[in-house]
Amino acid sequence: MLDFAFKLPPAKFDINNIDRVQIDQFNNANKEYLATCRNICTQNYENTDSLSDQDCAQIVMGLFSNSAKQQILKNSIKKNVASRFPDKQKYNLSALITKIKEFESPILTTNFDVYIGKSIMAKRRILSPNRKQYKFTDFYPWNVYYGTEEIENPLDGFGIWHINGLTDYPRSIRLGLSDYMGCVERARKMIQSNGFNELFAGKNQYNWIGGNTWLHVIFNRDLFIFGLALEENEVFLRWLLIQRAKYGQMYNIRLKGWYIGNKISDGKKFFLEQLGLDVIEISDFNNLYQCFAEI
């Protein structure tokens, strides 16, 4: 490529030949970029009023070149996301959640907000570890659930578990591919233990490290999935479903599952069916909610 470039004739630059529309687009984009940089500096540093726009841009570029500072920036963004949720829910979920609660079934949700739990006056609870089980961390609060009663096992009764984090702990909110891959690595160490020979061993027992987390539900309960796009970018959830299918095949455990959605592509349908899930396509989710009410 360099040899080719050196053989090219000298470039002739004529500002009069540049499209004015492109110049305006560039200037507008640059102004937006500088404004964003200043906003980041204002939210994360003191005494930034005296800084020029270029100074702010240089600070932000420094953030992106430093992994520790990147994490500080990501945490700031997550706090901002958590603060965006209003105090009151827009829709009344209590009837639906109460109906599910009657079956003593756990709910796994990818929602960050805690409206589902608060709709039935549930409280945030932490399922304490037993011996070598999972210990609480606000970055991965996988043993935190919302419930109306204390439970000793995720399978024993009703609880609402937030897979992708929750607004109670802003650092836990999963945003983007790097966060999803971090979840994969953390879950992989828990699921596969320390060696290949221990792959999946004991996931149907309560004494494995994830026995007090929502992961225990994934590997021991039938799954009824709805309201979840489960697109290709949701690598963590897709990876978990693959591990679940492998676990079932390895130990000859029949784990049922249903995926309910609309406008399901052939590729997604094929993927889900290979994992042992029955795919059901519907046109209106209101009909599904009505079915719950009539049970």
Side-chain angles (χ1 to χ4, degrees):
M1 290 293 292
L2 288 174
D3 290 340
F4 176 77
F6 280 125
K7 293 177 182 178
L8 292 176
K12 293 183 179 181
F13 180 75
D14 186 355
I15 194 170
N16 295 320
N17 291 330
I18 300 178
D19 189 346
R20 290 299 310 177
V21 174
Q22 291 181 332
I23 293 177
D24 291 340
Q25 289 176 344
F26 171 79
N27 287 334
N28 291 335
N30 188 51
K31 289 179 181 178
E32 184 176 351
Y33 165 70
L34 294 175
T36 300
C37 291
R38 178 167 291 280
N39 186 43
I40 291 173
C41 289
T42 301
Q43 292 182 355
N44 294 279
Y45 298 96
E46 296 181 354
N47 303 321
T48 57
D49 294 340
S50 61
L51 297 178
S52 68
D53 288 344
Q54 295 302 326
D55 290 335
C56 292
Q58 188 172 1
I59 290 174
V60 171
M61 291 303 296
L63 286 174
F64 285 107
S65 63
N66 184 300
S67 59
K69 291 182 178 179
Q70 279 186 43
Q71 190 58 57
I72 293 174
L73 178 60
K74 288 177 67 176
N75 290 341
S76 176
I77 293 173
K78 290 178 180 181
K79 287 180 180 179
N80 189 30
V81 170
S83 68
R84 296 284 177 165
F85 289 92
D87 293 333
K88 295 183 179 180
Q89 62 192 35
K90 184 178 180 181
Y91 303 104
N92 184 9
L93 300 172
S94 59
L96 174 61
I97 304 306
T98 299
K99 180 62 66 172
I100 296 176
K101 182 178 180 297
E102 291 177 3
F103 292 97
E104 292 295 320
S105 296
I107 295 177
L108 307 184
T109 177
T110 57
N111 291 353
F112 305 142
D113 61 75
V114 294
Y115 297 153
I116 296 178
K118 289 186 175 181
S119 70
I120 58 169
M121 306 299 290
K123 296 181 180 179
R124 184 180 72 243
R125 307 175 189 271
I126 299 178
L127 188 54
S128 300
N130 177 15
R131 289 177 293 182
K132 296 182 180 180
Q133 288 182 337
Y134 191 84
K135 295 179 175 61
F136 171 79
T137 164
D138 74 309
F139 203 80
Y140 293 104
W142 290 356
N143 60 333
V144 173
Y145 69 99
Y146 266 79
T148 55
E149 300 175 358
E150 295 278 359
I151 58 176
E152 296 183 359
N153 185 317
L155 308 181
D156 283 347
F158 172 79
I160 302 166
W161 306 80
H162 292 261
I163 294 177
N164 285 339
L166 62 164
T167 53
D168 291 346
Y169 308 107
R171 292 204 316 152
S172 72
I173 294 176
R174 305 296 96 187
L175 297 175
L177 182 60
S178 62
D179 277 346
Y180 291 148
M181 294 308 298
C183 289
V184 169
E185 182 59 20
R186 191 174 189 85
R188 184 190 65 79
K189 293 178 180 178
M190 296 170 62
I191 293 169
Q192 298 182 357
S193 190
N194 296 320
F196 181 79
N197 291 332
E198 298 181 40
L199 184 67
F200 300 117
K203 299 302 176 290
N204 61 340
Q205 304 171 16
Y206 185 51
N207 59 3
W208 75 289
I209 187 173
N212 63 327
T213 72
W214 55 263
L215 286 172
H216 199 54
V217 178
I218 293 286
F219 288 95
N220 292 281
R221 276 293 185 96
D222 297 337
L223 298 180
F224 184 79
I225 305 173
F226 68 95
L228 181 64
L230 207 60
E231 300 293 354
E232 289 80 357
N233 63 331
E234 297 181 76
V235 292
F236 180 41
L237 295 180
R238 284 186 167 228
W239 178 84
L240 275 177
L241 290 176
I242 292 172
Q243 305 312 304
R244 180 177 183 269
K246 287 181 178 179
Y247 170 68
Q249 292 175 359
M250 182 171 291
Y251 292 97
N252 195 29
I253 297 174
R254 173 60 174 164
L255 293 171
K256 297 180 180 179
W258 299 266
Y259 179 85
I260 292 83
N262 53 17
K263 299 180 180 179
I264 304 172
S265 67
D266 291 339
K268 184 189 295 185
K269 184 177 181 181
F270 176 80
F271 170 75
L272 295 171
E273 288 177 342
Q274 296 307 302
L275 299 180
L277 298 176
D278 293 332
V279 179
I280 303 172
E281 191 160 1
I282 61 175
S283 59
D284 188 354
F285 276 99
N286 288 326
N287 295 333
L288 178 64
Y289 299 144
Q290 184 62 34
C291 289
F292 274 111
E294 295 175 356
I295 292 178

